[in-house]
Amino acid sequence: MRSTISIRRPSASMIVALVALFAALGGTGYAAATISGRDIQKRTIPANRVVNNALGGGQINESKLGPVPVAQQALTAQTAASATEAGHATSADTATNAQQLQGRDAGSFLSNTIRLVSNQTAPVATDTGAGVSVTCSAGEKAIGGGAAWLISGDAATELNAPITASMPLPAAAGTNNMVGWQAHGRNLTGSPRTLRVYAVCVPRTA
């Protein structure tokens, strides 16, 4: 018995499908070989078409990248550190200024620089008057003073040795600073006496 095999003609839809398949397979290879950067429009390839971690420094212009979050934190920390250092410097300057008053350091004030100076006459005969003065050093001014007869070893009293004048020694006309102290007195004790004058001196800037 002879068997008969019938071959059916492909349908039109099958032929179209096969042509499309061959065109797709051949076209992919053709496109991969012939498409260049000039054939791609700008801004048309989305980021999700690039394989993760496929791009490196050779494909990326690193100078155009912004700081990553960790680097941004580092910049913030650096700025904070600079601000802290500036704050410390300001605090140090403030502390230094706190040790001054009107631009003067602690050495310009009375408790640190007060100085007592004195001068006296030769022994003054009894029933005689005398005067004496004392001046502070250059750059100093007087802020007080006084005078006294040197009396000891007898019954003389202040009534016998009066101070007739005790006053500041003024500076040149037109200035307010005192440069020393001056005094006058009379010796009525019956014995020669010495008249001494004192001045309290401080720097003129005090």
Side-chain angles (χ1 to χ4, degrees), residues 1-12:
M1 178 182 295
R2 177 182 297 179
S3 63
T4 303
I5 299 175
S6 61
I7 299 174
R8 295 179 60 187
R9 178 183 300 176
S11 65

Side-chain angles (χ1 to χ4, degrees), residues 31-45:
T34 60
I35 293 177
S36 67
R38 289 191 299 271
D39 299 317
I40 302 175
Q41 293 184 2
K42 295 180 179 180
R43 313 296 183 189
T44 59
I45 298 179

Side-chain angles (χ1 to χ4, degrees), residues 119-143:
N119 191 20
Q120 65 188 40
T121 65
V124 179
T126 187
D127 296 327
T128 304
V132 64
S133 65
V134 65
T135 58
C136 299
S137 299
E140 290 182 325
K141 64 182 178 182
I143 59 171

Side-chain angles (χ1 to χ4, degrees), residues 68-129:
V68 297
V70 176
Q72 185 63 49
Q73 293 174 8
L75 291 175
T76 303
Q78 183 177 2
T79 302
S82 299
T84 301
E85 292 176 0
H88 290 165
T90 301
S91 298
D93 290 341
T94 302
T96 300
N97 291 337
Q99 298 174 4
Q100 299 182 346
L101 181 62
Q102 295 182 347
R104 291 172 284 167
D105 59 30
S108 300
F109 295 93
L110 304 186
S111 61
N112 298 314
T113 57
I114 191 169
R115 195 169 69 92
L116 184 67
V117 296
S118 65
N119 191 20
Q120 65 188 40
T121 65
V124 179
T126 187
D127 296 327
T128 304

Side-chain angles (χ1 to χ4, degrees), residues 8-55:
R8 295 179 60 187
R9 178 183 300 176
S11 65
S13 60
M14 178 63 73
I15 294 173
V16 171
L18 292 174
V19 170
L21 176 61
F22 292 140
L25 292 175
T28 301
Y30 173 79
T34 60
I35 293 177
S36 67
R38 289 191 299 271
D39 299 317
I40 302 175
Q41 293 184 2
K42 295 180 179 180
R43 313 296 183 189
T44 59
I45 298 179
N48 61 9
R49 293 297 186 266
V50 180
V51 177
N52 290 339
N53 302 319
L55 300 180

Side-chain angles (χ1 to χ4, degrees), residues 50 53-62 65:
V50 180
N53 302 319
L55 300 180
Q59 292 80 33
I60 299 174
N61 186 348
E62 298 176 0
L65 296 176

